[in-house]
Amino acid sequence: MNVGFLGIQYSFGLQQSAINPIFLFLGATEEQLPILNLAGPITGLIVQPIIGAISDKTWSPRFGRRKPFFLIGAILGSICLFFFPLSPALWFAVGLLWILDVGNNMAMEPYRAFVGDKLPEKQFSIGYQMQSLFVGAGILLANASIFLFQDWFGGGEEVAGEVPKWLYYSFFIGAFLSIATILWSVFTTPEIPPTEEEMVEIEKHRALPFEERLFAPFREIWKAIVQMPKFLWKLAIVYLFQWYALFVYWQFITPLFRKTMGMDTSEAAAQAAKMSTTYNVTTALVALVLVPLALKFGNKKVYALSLLGSALALFAIPYITDSFYVLAPMVLFGIGWAAMMGIPYSMVSKIVPQDRRGVYMGILNMMIVIPMGIQTVSFGAIYKNILGGSPINAMLFAGVLFTLAFVFALRLKMPKEKQEANLQNS
């Protein structure tokens, strides 16, 4: 069921570790990096909730409910990954990133709902933590390919305005995995047909005039936001600090190593990939271990402590100047990433109606991309005018934000009736 997530997350792994170095290779300045990453937040904000709402009202006996959307998204992403390292100029790479993010978001949102559709509630934790394992595995492969290919095929002086050839191979592999892994899930995992009640609603939607069907997803999104459980509003506050901090880390880890270790951009990108590889190895190893821990101590405690561990990791990284020992904090970061990619989705799936799971997973993604959007338009000025243009200060700033996320995560509380049901199921 989750194999297709490997290809999607390989693509996101490249976005985390290779996209910003490519922007730097093509002439971008460090303070431009946040705004150049605007594609992710904007496309996620628009695409995911709309696709979620549409897929909730979709059913085909042949193609299913969610599969058509993540298959189209995978094809689009695969094409963009192939051409990305061939970008002749910065504007071309930025444009491809917009299209790539549309494809990735079209694939990801229905995939989240797909897992919830297939599993009984008592298996949500294991299902979403298994998805977290594939998140770690996909990003791990992407980042391992970056530093391995740099080691095998790198070398020589960097040429301004050109992407090094060693980066090509990672993107070509990603183009293959994006479509191949999705096809595996499409052909091996049948979708469960809608219930009679759900089918009645789907037929009602199909009977609407075209104009009403066109605007129905937007009305459904607004209705879901108005009726959103209080738990999701509290989670949105946690996500505000968590995802702002993550975007800062991904954008400035390469500039940080240019500053603290005196590396050139290629060396710093390879070191950043090693950091990401380390935390994603940890994620893959601990993702399923978090399931019994969450059952014993509660989702909230495990999630909150993981955020605190991520904060401690970011506080440590700027002060470690050895390229090997600086990998150690990534163990804490990897535990945090495993929790972030699994526990919130499990909690949300338990409290939202099944027939609206797609739209609520889209809204959950809005809670991710809105902080990212705020970061892309605000952090360039903060970095230049408040943090003194220092990547060290940027990393410490991200650590402070993770600490705030930890504090607000302690305030999360599942509805009482859901807590009782979960205890019975477990």
Side-chain angles (χ1 to χ4, degrees), residues 39-54:
I42 296 299
T43 56
L45 182 64
I46 296 172
V47 173
Q48 286 213 27
I50 292 175
I51 293 298
I54 293 174

Side-chain angles (χ1 to χ4, degrees), residues 137-215:
I139 299 175
L140 163 64
L141 289 175
N143 288 281
S145 73
I146 292 172
F147 69 77
L148 287 175
F149 289 143
Q150 199 271 345
D151 184 56
W152 295 342
F153 307 115
E157 293 185 6
E158 296 177 0
V159 179
E162 290 187 10
V163 178
K165 296 295 187 294
W166 57 266
L167 261 176
Y168 286 32
Y169 307 109
S170 296
F171 282 83
F172 293 161
I173 291 173
F176 170 77
L177 287 178
S178 179
I179 187 63
T181 58
I182 287 289
L183 286 173
W184 175 277
S185 291
V186 165
F187 288 119
T188 62
T189 313
E191 293 197 63
I192 297 175
T195 63
E196 291 184 11
E197 294 80 4
E198 290 174 330
M199 202 65 220
V200 169
E201 291 299 316
I202 291 172
E203 292 297 339
K204 284 182 181 178
H205 178 75
R206 287 175 177 171
L208 294 173
F210 174 76
E211 293 79 5
E212 289 192 40
R213 280 187 286 136
L214 182 64
F215 292 102

Side-chain angles (χ1 to χ4, degrees), residues 406-425:
F406 156 73
V407 172
F408 283 102
L410 293 174
R411 299 176 65 249
L412 294 174
K413 189 175 183 181
M414 293 280 284
K416 285 187 178 179
E417 61 271 19
K418 288 296 180 180
Q419 288 179 321
E420 293 169 0
N422 295 337
L423 287 174
Q424 293 173 0
N425 289 330

Side-chain angles (χ1 to χ4, degrees), residues 275 278-279 309-310 312-314 316-317 320 324-334:
M275 302 286 281
T278 303
Y279 80 72
S310 300
L312 295 175
L314 296 194
I317 290 170
I320 303 174
F324 177 75
Y325 291 116
V326 78
L327 301 176
M330 289 294 96
V331 174
L332 283 176
F333 199 88

Side-chain angles (χ1 to χ4, degrees), residues 18-29 32-33 36 83-96 158-164 167-168 258 265:
I19 297 296
N20 287 300
I22 285 178
F23 288 162
L24 293 171
F25 284 126
L26 295 175
T29 63
Q32 288 178 317
L33 292 180
L36 293 178
F83 286 104
F84 204 95
L86 305 174
S87 299
L90 182 60
W91 66 267
F92 189 92
V94 173
L96 271 182
E158 296 177 0
V159 179
E162 290 187 10
V163 178
L167 261 176
Y168 286 32
R258 295 201 304 186
T265 303

Side-chain angles (χ1 to χ4, degrees), residues 158-369:
E158 296 177 0
V159 179
E162 290 187 10
V163 178
K165 296 295 187 294
W166 57 266
L167 261 176
Y168 286 32
Y169 307 109
S170 296
F171 282 83
F172 293 161
I173 291 173
F176 170 77
L177 287 178
S178 179
I179 187 63
T181 58
I182 287 289
L183 286 173
W184 175 277
S185 291
V186 165
F187 288 119
T188 62
T189 313
E191 293 197 63
I192 297 175
T195 63
E196 291 184 11
E197 294 80 4
E198 290 174 330
M199 202 65 220
V200 169
E201 291 299 316
I202 291 172
E203 292 297 339
K204 284 182 181 178
H205 178 75
R206 287 175 177 171
L208 294 173
F210 174 76
E211 293 79 5
E212 289 192 40
R213 280 187 286 136
L214 182 64
F215 292 102
F218 300 96
R219 289 194 295 269
E220 181 64 24
I221 292 166
W222 177 250
K223 183 180 178 182
I225 291 174
V226 171
Q227 299 175 353
M228 193 163 69
K230 186 182 293 184
F231 175 87
L232 269 79
W233 289 108
K234 291 183 177 180
L235 183 62
I237 298 173
V238 178
Y239 269 25
L240 173 63
F241 297 108
Q242 170 186 308
W243 287 99
Y244 195 114
L246 282 167
F247 236 37
V248 172
Y249 169 81
W250 290 327
Q251 291 168 6
F252 286 90
I253 188 65
T254 296
L256 177 74
F257 290 135
R258 295 201 304 186
K259 175 76 172 179
T260 60
M261 299 187 188
M263 297 176 169
D264 62 26
T265 303
S266 292
E267 294 168 335
Q271 182 64 35
K274 292 177 183 177
M275 302 286 281
S276 189
T277 300
T278 303
Y279 80 72
N280 281 288
V281 166
T282 305
T283 294
L285 291 175
V286 307
L288 298 183
V289 177
L290 293 181
V291 175
L293 290 177
L295 288 173
K296 182 174 182 180
F297 299 106
N299 282 317
K300 179 181 74 172
K301 290 181 181 178
V302 174
Y303 178 44
L305 288 174
S306 74
L307 296 174
L308 180 60
S310 300
L312 295 175
L314 296 194
F315 286 139
I317 290 170
Y319 299 106
I320 303 174
T321 56
D322 184 278
S323 61
F324 177 75
Y325 291 116
V326 78
L327 301 176
M330 289 294 96
V331 174
L332 283 176
F333 199 88
I335 296 171
W337 186 239
M340 287 180 251
M341 289 293 97
I343 290 177
Y345 295 97
S346 173
M347 292 191 289
V348 170
S349 285
K350 292 173 183 176
I351 66 172
V352 300
Q354 181 174 346
D355 61 343
R356 302 174 80 182
R357 185 171 289 123
V359 69
Y360 272 115
M361 285 298 171
I363 291 171
L364 185 60
N365 188 70
M366 291 171 66
M367 297 177 188
I368 295 173
V369 299

